[in-house]
Amino acid sequence: MRTTPKSGGFTSSLWMDTKVPTFERPPPTETDIAIVGAGIAGLTCAVELAQRGARVIVLDDGPIGGGETGRTSAHLSSAIDDYYSTLEHTFGTGGARLVAESHATAIDYIEAMVMARDIQCEFRRVDQYLIDPPGQRDDTRRFLEKELVAAQRAGLTCEMVDGAPLPFATGPAIKFANQAEIHPLKYLVGLAEAAVEMGAHIHTGVHVEGIEPGTPVHLKLAGGNTLLARVVVDCTNGAISSMLHLPLRQAAYRSYCVAFAIPHDTIPHVLVDDTGDPYHYVRVASNAAGEDVLIVGGEDHRVGQKDAGPQFDALERWTREWLPIVGGVVARWSGQIIEPSDGLAHIGRSPDLEHVYVCTGDSGHGLTHGTIAGLMIPEMLHGMHPRWERVYDPRRSHLRAPGTLVAEAAKSAVPYTEWLKPADVSSIDAIKPGEGALVRRGLHLIAAYRDPSGTCHQMSATCPHMRGVVQWNAAEKSWDCPCHGSRFSATGEVMNGPAVSNLKPIDTPLHDRAPAKIADEERITDRIAAVPQALLRND
């Protein structure tokens, strides 16, 4: 049986009409290696470990590819957007070379897997171009020249050219050879089939509520069951095995994509990124009917700290200004990007738990970072030390990028002032069907969602990870924590870590409270509202 992956929210990506196999069967009670997460990192690890003879199971609370792998723009790039001139400064020339080598190797691995197993996933080698933001070319040429030299030192094949092949004058661009594009879910189906053939077992619809230390490691599963494993590999994107260390060293962002119909062959298959802030990226793909579609992405922001709707509007305005040949919008979606403070993913031994390995901090390059993890972690489990281990070590010092570390920590801390702010609405009666809002109950904030039938679901607005206040995401119909990026469905089920449990349901509806209690809480609310506004600024 095959099923279509859930969208993980209200929007749906261009890839989500793909039928994926189901693996809905209960897991065993023990195994050698348990992988949590059936995205590209988890399934690549499963393939590599199973072919080495390990007993491997993969657990996911949704279908394969139901997380962030199905919500990417599906670039495969070694010309990563953290910039080699920056990475060289932070990690040295040798470190930058390891980064370039690892991403290039990941693309080669994907290509080899596609060819060896004849996976029909629209893999194509393409060129990538880095350009100045359209209309903003005053001082950026110097940055492009600096980046070209650093990228060449790192070992990439690249050159400065007059422009990118887009239907407007882009100005000078760095052209990177040997990049690629792919249909991520079709590739994931091929990976899952390979993993099963090699002896791995996949179990979907299984939610992991916690990873507890021990020998063996204990995985607490929904329903009260426990799975014992010699080793656990956490490929959940938000790193549910690290409640403190990694959330403080990385930040969760939403990135947005809009897909437009375009006439056939008007824009070639290339990858294009600009250096703006906010930045934009462009690529051509195909829809289910084989027609050309232009994907335009960007407008990133911290999870829960901006409304999502304006980001889609901004992408469409930018596209129609600079690429007026586009037709109607055929899809739009957002995805979760985990940005480490020093720019590189966290792949390797967990900083929190023995016998646990992690892959997180994709930094917008989840497909290659996930593949890198699938190559590194099996080698580490067999006692080897991969060449790339030191640059991706989750336990490395992050003081080489102190400015970013402090800035992101401040952005994570400021949302805690939400406890002092007025609610979104004064009454649940103001919430329309299909929408959510925060409602205050004295010192407590309630996350209230009215479903299309009119039933109002009331939950604590407290994120169970580190007690941030969740915010309503109208575009994805989800509750998002602005502190460390945990996300929950409209009715409170956890969708993204680091949180592992749902929002706590409220047993007593707001309209059932006694009048005296309401009066007391209103007085408390008035005092809270009187807090000086200087404490509430998010700047």
Side-chain angles (χ1 to χ4, degrees), residues 1-2 33 50 106 152 199 203 296 346 348 354 420 422 461 502 522 532:
M1 176 182 176
R2 288 175 179 257
I33 302 170
Q152 288 174 336
H203 304 271
V296 180
H346 296 111
E354 290 294 324
L420 304 174
N502 301 336
E522 286 177 346

Side-chain angles (χ1 to χ4, degrees), residues 103-124:
H103 284 272
T105 301
I107 299 172
D108 291 344
Y109 176 92
I110 292 170
E111 182 177 37
M113 181 67 73
V114 167
M115 296 180 66
R117 299 192 61 84
D118 191 27
I119 303 173
Q120 301 300 308
C121 60
E122 300 162 31
F123 178 92
R124 183 195 299 234

Side-chain angles (χ1 to χ4, degrees), residues 22-86:
T22 56
F23 302 94
E24 295 180 354
R25 57 191 175 211
T29 57
E30 60 87 25
T31 188
D32 288 340
I33 302 170
I35 299 170
V36 187
I40 193 167
L43 290 178
T44 306
C45 279
V47 168
E48 291 300 306
L49 287 165
Q51 71 179 1
R52 288 169 166 86
R55 278 194 309 154
V56 181
I57 67 170
V58 181
L59 307 174
D60 200 299
D61 58 5
I64 66 167
E68 297 310 310
T69 301
R71 300 182 73 80
T72 73
S73 61
H75 289 61
L76 295 174
S77 175
S78 57
I80 66 175
D81 58 12
D82 290 291
Y83 303 128
Y84 284 95
S85 51
T86 302

